[in-house]
Amino acid sequence: MAYDSAATRAKILAAAIEEFSAYGLAGARIDRIAEAAGANKRSIYVYYTNKELLFSAALHEVISQVNEALPLTEDDLPGYAAGMFDYLIAHPAALRMHLWRQLERPELGPDAADVYSQKMASMTAGSIAGQLPPTDLLVFITGLAQSWILTPRDLLTAVDGGDPFAAERLAAHRAAIVQAARRLCAPAP
């Protein structure tokens, strides 16, 4: 069987995302990534040079996946918030990767300025012009989508006693996110 370098790189990257999202850059281990990917450590260094560049590649992959799955729809920011919530529930590694980046290496990883500049430009040109500044609005919408996941589970449980990640509770919270986002996007009185 011929060696498939693209498949090996993809397996390494997927394993790296799981490892970095669980342990961060400092706690991640190349040998665990190699084992999970069914690759050898040498191939990781050949493809990615070092652990920081592998983290950067994993972060770039996560950001690319989120942006591809959730294109900004400036005329439906409540829908965007709901979609972001759904995505983060389904892909918890995405949010954890962003958090580890902020904690350990905020300067590391792909420059997302172009992505956010495009989003800001579409928001400024779109139907929400004249509302909150686009940067603030996008930060608030993103914060709404992340809030349930970032709140400690025991705190959420203490509030209403139920499982905060039960399907019906997630659906209720998703509806609350949409309602809050609609209010944020509503024209000023």
Side-chain angles (χ1 to χ4, degrees):
M1 184 195 295
Y3 179 74
D4 185 349
S5 64
T8 301
R9 284 178 74 109
K11 288 177 187 176
I12 291 169
L13 202 53
I17 290 169
E18 289 304 313
E19 179 76 8
F20 288 129
S21 72
Y23 301 102
L25 178 58
R29 298 290 172 256
I30 294 295
D31 52 343
R32 286 193 302 244
I33 294 169
E35 183 178 339
N40 60 51
K41 286 171 59 173
R42 183 180 171 278
S43 64
I44 293 174
Y45 290 110
V46 166
Y47 292 132
Y48 297 101
T49 308
N50 60 45
K51 191 164 83 167
E52 282 201 9
L53 290 178
L54 178 57
F55 181 80
S56 184
L59 186 62
H60 187 277
E61 180 66 16
V62 166
I63 289 171
S64 297
Q65 289 172 0
V66 170
N67 288 332
E68 185 177 312
L70 295 166
L72 179 67
T73 50
E74 66 277 354
D75 57 341
D76 184 19
L77 288 175
Y80 177 76
M84 177 70 75
F85 176 75
D86 294 342
Y87 187 89
L88 294 176
I89 292 294
H91 303 92
L95 182 56
R96 290 193 308 259
M97 284 290 295
H98 286 288
L99 294 172
W100 281 115
R101 176 188 184 192
Q102 286 300 102
L103 287 170
E104 294 184 312
R105 296 286 195 288
E107 75 287 349
L108 189 65
D111 181 6
D114 286 345
V115 171
Y116 289 104
S117 294
Q118 291 169 4
K119 289 181 180 187
M120 295 303 110
S122 24
M123 288 174 67
T124 302
S127 60
I128 60 161
Q131 305 304 317
L132 292 169
T135 302
D136 293 354
L137 188 56
L138 187 58
V139 167
F140 293 151
I141 295 293
T142 302
L144 283 170
Q146 296 173 352
S147 61
W148 195 257
I149 301 159
L150 292 175
T151 302
R153 187 177 276 242
D154 59 337
L155 180 62
L156 294 173
T157 303
V159 171
D160 64 14
D163 177 3
F165 287 88
E168 64 277 357
R169 190 61 187 105
L170 289 174
H173 183 69
R174 184 184 192 276
I177 288 171
V178 170
Q179 181 181 19
R182 279 192 186 117
R183 288 181 182 174
L184 278 172
C185 296

